[in-house]
Amino acid sequence: MESSIGRVSCRTPPFRSPNTETTRFEQHEAQKEMGDPDVGAVMGFSGFGKKARTFDLEAIFEQTRRTAIERSRKVLEKEQSSVESLETSPSVGRSGSPTEKSHPHNTTSSPVGGGSGSEDSDSLSSDEIGPPVPSALSRLALEEPGGAADLPPAASCHKLQEDTDEEDEEEEDDNPVKRIPDSHEITLIHSRKTVSALGLDPSGARLVTGGYDYEVKLWDFAGMDASLQAFRSLQPCECHQIKSLQYSATGDVILCVAGSAQAKVLDRDGFQVMECVKGDQYIVDQAKTKGHTAMLNSGVWHPKIKEEFVTCSNDGTVRTWDMNNEKKHKSIFKPRTAQGKRIIPTTCAYSRDGKFITAACQDGSIQIWDRNMNVHTKFHNRQAHIPGSDTSCLSFSYDGNTLASRGGDDTIKTWDMRNFRNPLNVATDLPNIFPMTDCCFSPDDKLLVTGTSVQKGQGSGKLLFFDRETFRKLYEIEVTDASVIRCLWHAKLNQIMVGTGNGLAKVYYHPVKSQRGAKLCVVKTKRKAKQSQTVTQDYIITPHALPMFREPRQKSTRKQLEKDRLDPVKSHKPEPPVSGPGRGGRVGTHGGTLSSFIVKNIALDKTDDSNPREAILRHAKDAEQNPYWVAPAYVKTQPHAVFAATESDEEQQDDEPEWKKRKL
């Protein structure tokens, strides 16, 4: 079977018998194909000008297919003969001597296409690997045209393996607990304080954690080894606790929401890209201010628009922002109570399609606005949770029809967006003492995950898994002896990240069901610590320089220390502080503080200046007997006045006191 499709572009020279008369041109062509010795000598290798062999691919494939079919038929015939022998002699089967079945690996078959194919068939039979073909599968292959009879035995076994894998997947679909990746875990140590924020980029390559210690740490799964150390640690908001961290839809920037009034946007390496403006605190109407005026509570990115995000604050507003304009918010939403008063939103979220913005408030209500209409709410429920409790999380399902709310009243509820009046399901007795406790849906939208809080030393925090439809608790994981605050189930990695109250961030994964992520770093060995090599000063050695340009050689520090040890002044041990009344001519003090030094060296003035009049009159007698600080102080500096003397002056002079007479 020759065709232009199954051929390589090169062709072999035509075969001629020795008696055939050849022309000069044909001899030249044959010499060219065999290789020109002159050209070979010039180029440096022999065989220059030869053409490659021609292989008929279609003929090879057809020969292989026929060989496989013939082998399958022979295997089937031997299996049928062994079954018939077992049926005719049942005593042999009972005695326990097994009947030997022929294996396709040991079978050699003659080809259908002629004698030249026998060698190919032997080589193919020796290269085949895999178990023998089951009899039931072989019968179906012979009965059905175009079935497994046209396939080699290894392909049939692969098909059977695929069928078993599909059955296992169906069992996992029936039991969603088997899809939870909790067989392995790693622990990332953030700090000793609560991990209050957790974020993972869309590709699953980097994890970011934030806590009550004001620090944000960045973890790279591909760059970490088994020591599990963060590659960067920073304090983006100084002395403010981190409330929320989230990567954008593209994963190039991070939204950082802390206890301040200004949200920040960081790049993948932790450097600041944008900082929202702070509003004017003295303006009553919050719509007239450019930004938040009080502490932030939460913030999330828009799922579709990579430059937009939303934040909520204690100033009673929900604001959207654009990364291209950090000087003013994009739009503002004002939650209101049933009486029209201002209320504080505790958390906010976007819907999956980004068309709606929802916020949970301190009066227990959940209010939802259309993103393009910020005046009236699209949906609202005033009695979603108990008034006065801080709803800590709002999360939409992947299909966008269900909203889950984690309340501060120790409950978790699901709501249907098409009927928002009553909750679909409610789960109670789920302690929640943190204002940022998470809840999230599984990637297949069949499970709802949340964490529980515990007081210190009163049990272990748990990660609970509920069925979305029935709200029956299907599974739980005891994480640690502290509260479970943040939880995140990444759809691409199929790994669960958990933030706890004792400063740990745990990652749960499965070696088969999970992809990349934590699996990349656990297989790497710890790097050996390199010896620190420090150079105090660089010296340029010029051996033939003039004496005036020669630099002094670096002295050995060891020799200098030996000289200092011999010096009685430098090696003098400081005298310890004196305890008690003192000894050796040294006065003892009651402490080594500044106040004790002042008491020791400065005399105490015990005069009582509580009565200012008595304090002044205390010096009256001394001033009268020795008046110096009033008029006599200027005797030496003032000129002597000469006036005409009158009788009145003489009388007045007689009445003057003695010190004035001495002056005159």
Side-chain angles (χ1 to χ4, degrees):
M1 314 176 50
E2 295 182 2
S3 65
S4 60
I5 299 176
R7 290 182 175 274
V8 187
S9 59
C10 302
R11 292 195 300 271
T12 56
F15 176 75
R16 290 179 179 272
S17 62
N19 300 327
T20 306
E21 184 179 357
T22 59
T23 62
R24 182 174 298 176
F25 176 75
E26 291 174 350
Q27 291 177 356
H28 176 70
E29 288 295 324
Q31 183 180 3
K32 183 179 179 182
E33 291 178 356
M34 293 301 293
D36 193 347
D38 297 336
V39 178
V42 173
M43 298 300 293
F45 56 88
S46 61
F48 183 79
K50 286 186 178 180
K51 292 185 178 180
R53 291 183 60 190
T54 301
F55 298 97
D56 192 347
L57 300 180
E58 286 190 358
I60 295 173
F61 292 153
E62 181 66 20
Q63 185 66 32
T64 306
R65 191 180 69 84
R66 290 180 180 179
T67 305
I69 294 173
E70 184 67 22
R71 185 180 297 105
S72 300
R73 287 178 180 175
K74 287 195 173 188
V75 170
L76 181 60
E77 290 174 359
K78 290 188 177 182
E79 287 182 354
Q80 288 178 351
S81 62
S82 63
V83 171
E84 291 175 358
S85 62
L86 286 174
E87 291 177 355
T88 53
S89 58
S91 59
V92 177
R94 293 190 191 98
S95 62
S97 58
T99 306
E100 295 183 358
K101 293 185 179 180
S102 60
H103 200 277
H105 305 172
N106 304 327
T107 307
T108 57
S109 57
S110 60
V112 180
S116 61
S118 60
E119 297 177 0
D120 296 337
S121 64
D122 293 337
S123 62
L124 286 172
S125 63
S126 62
D127 293 341
E128 286 293 333
I129 59 173
V133 183
S135 58
L137 186 61
S138 302
R139 286 196 198 92
L140 291 174
L142 288 177
E143 292 173 359
E144 296 180 2
D150 295 337
L151 298 173
S156 303
C157 295
H158 286 308
K159 186 176 180 181
L160 184 61
Q161 183 67 25
E162 290 177 0
D163 295 339
T164 56
D165 292 342
E166 291 177 359
E167 291 177 0
D168 294 340
E169 290 179 0
E170 290 177 359
E171 291 179 0
E172 289 184 356
D173 292 339
D174 297 337
N175 189 6
V177 177
K178 293 184 178 180
R179 305 178 74 92
I180 299 175
D182 67 327
S183 60
H184 295 67
E185 67 174 279
I186 62 172
T187 301
L188 308 176
I189 301 176
H190 176 83
S191 67
R192 294 184 179 180
K193 294 188 178 181
T194 301
V195 177
S196 57
L198 205 63
L200 195 63
D201 68 339
S203 63
R206 287 189 176 181
L207 175 70
V208 58
T209 58
Y212 280 5
D213 58 345
Y214 321 132
E215 288 195 356
V216 172
K217 290 190 177 182
L218 300 170
W219 315 77
D220 190 355
F221 289 119
M224 281 194 303
D225 56 6
S227 61
L228 305 178
Q229 297 293 326
F231 75 91
R232 182 153 298 162
S233 177
L234 63 149
Q235 291 186 1
C237 302
E238 296 179 351
C239 298
H240 294 284
Q241 295 177 351
I242 308 299
K243 298 291 188 71
S244 175
L245 291 169
Q246 187 185 20
Y247 278 89
S248 63
T250 55
D252 54 346
V253 287
I254 306 169
L255 174 62
C256 178
V257 176
S260 63
Q262 298 171 273
K264 294 186 178 182
V265 178
L266 313 175
D267 62 3
R268 286 180 62 87
D269 295 327
F271 299 102
Q272 181 174 319
V273 177
M274 169 195 170
E275 183 179 15
C276 298
V277 68
K278 186 177 181 180
D280 192 346
Q281 298 177 353
Y282 299 99
I283 297 178
V284 178
D285 188 3
Q286 293 294 326
K288 303 299 182 181
T289 61
K290 298 180 180 180
H292 289 293
T293 59
M295 178 184 71
L296 298 176
N297 290 324
S298 180
V300 291
W301 286 100
H302 193 284
K304 305 293 183 182
I305 305 173
K306 65 177 183 179
E307 295 91 1
E308 182 180 329
F309 60 92
V310 62
T311 57
C312 63
S313 169
N314 278 357
D315 60 2
T317 61
V318 178
R319 302 174 192 255
T320 59
W321 302 82
D322 191 350
M323 278 190 60
N324 301 322
N325 183 18
E326 62 182 10
K327 298 300 182 182
K328 188 179 180 181
H329 61 260
K330 188 176 182 180
S331 59
I332 182 173
F333 303 87
K334 298 180 181 179
R336 290 289 183 263
T337 62
Q339 293 78 22
K341 297 181 180 180
R342 186 175 67 176
I343 191 67
I344 295 176
T346 57
T347 184
C348 58
Y350 275 106
S351 61
R352 289 290 177 178
D353 54 4
K355 295 181 179 179
F356 298 105
I357 295 175
T358 177
C361 306
Q362 284 185 344
D363 62 346
S365 64
I366 297 178
Q367 305 183 25
I368 302 176
W369 297 269
D370 191 325
R371 176 174 163 271
N372 299 320
M373 297 177 63
N374 58 356
V375 180
H376 300 290
T377 58
K378 187 79 173 178
F379 311 101
H380 67 272
N381 191 316
R382 300 290 179 186
Q383 290 82 27
H385 291 276
I386 296 176
S389 63
D390 292 348
T391 303
S392 59
C393 181
L394 294 173
S395 178
F396 282 88
S397 61
Y398 286 90
D399 57 13
N401 297 327
T402 306
L403 173 66
S405 62
R406 183 70 165 97
D409 53 357
D410 299 344
T411 62
I412 182 170
K413 300 181 180 181
T414 54
W415 310 82
D416 192 348
M417 294 293 294
R418 296 159 292 188
N419 184 13
F420 203 66
R421 294 184 178 181
N422 299 316
L424 293 175
N425 296 290
V426 180
T428 58
D429 297 331
L430 304 175
N432 181 12
I433 59 178
F434 286 90
M436 63 280 297
T437 302
D438 257 341
C439 65
C440 64
F441 287 89
S442 62
D444 57 0
D445 251 0
K446 293 184 178 181
L447 298 176
L448 182 61
V449 189
T450 188
T452 60
S453 302
V454 293
Q455 298 291 342
K456 188 175 181 180
Q458 296 184 3
S460 300
K462 297 179 180 179
L463 193 65
L464 305 179
F465 297 81
F466 295 91
D467 186 88
R468 176 184 169 183
E469 301 297 333
T470 63
F471 239 53
R472 183 170 57 91
K473 186 173 74 172
L474 299 178
Y475 195 69
E476 67 178 25
I477 301 174
E478 287 193 4
V479 181
T480 183
D481 57 349
S483 302
V484 176
I485 303 170
R486 290 290 185 177
C487 60
L488 191 151
W489 195 334
H490 198 270
K492 187 175 182 180
L493 300 183
N494 192 26
Q495 298 179 11
I496 302 175
M497 286 69 180
V498 178
T500 64
N502 56 356
L504 303 179
K506 292 198 172 186
V507 182
Y508 293 91
Y509 67 97
H510 192 276
V512 178
K513 301 173 185 176
S514 301
Q515 305 293 329
R516 298 176 66 82
K519 295 170 60 178
L520 298 177
C521 56
V522 295
V523 297
K524 296 181 181 179
T525 58
K526 294 183 180 180
R527 299 187 184 97
K528 294 182 179 179
K530 295 182 179 179
Q531 297 292 336
S532 59
Q533 299 177 357
T534 57
V535 179
T536 57
Q537 187 177 359
D538 294 333
Y539 286 93
I540 301 175
I541 301 174
T542 54
H544 301 291
L546 295 175
M548 63 181 299
F549 298 108
R550 288 177 185 168
E551 295 180 355
R553 292 185 179 180
Q554 186 178 7
K555 296 182 179 179
S556 174
T557 57
R558 182 166 170 267
K559 292 183 179 180
Q560 186 65 32
L561 289 175
E562 291 177 355
K563 290 182 179 180
D564 293 343
R565 178 59 64 188
L566 298 176
D567 190 355
V569 178
K570 292 184 178 180
S571 62
H572 177 67
K573 179 182 178 182
E575 295 181 358
V578 179
S579 59
R583 64 179 183 273
R586 298 178 61 194
V587 180
T589 58
H590 297 286
T593 60
L594 178 62
S595 60
S596 64
F597 176 79
I598 295 173
V599 170
K600 175 185 174 184
N601 294 280
I602 301 176
L604 295 178
D605 187 8
K606 298 183 179 179
T607 56
D608 185 13
D609 294 337
S610 60
N611 192 343
R613 185 174 180 277
E614 292 181 357
I616 295 173
L617 293 177
R618 186 167 59 242
H619 307 282
K621 186 177 180 180
D622 187 19
E624 185 178 357
Q625 294 178 355
N626 188 17
Y628 177 75
W629 295 110
V630 185
Y634 303 97
V635 172
K636 296 180 180 179
T637 59
Q638 293 298 327
H640 180 68
V642 178
F643 298 103
T646 59
E647 294 181 356
S648 60
D649 293 339
E650 291 178 355
E651 293 176 357
Q652 185 178 2
Q653 188 175 2
D654 295 337
D655 297 337
E656 286 181 351
E658 188 66 24
W659 64 272
K660 281 191 175 182
K661 291 180 180 179
R662 288 199 302 268
K663 177 182 176 184
L664 296 173

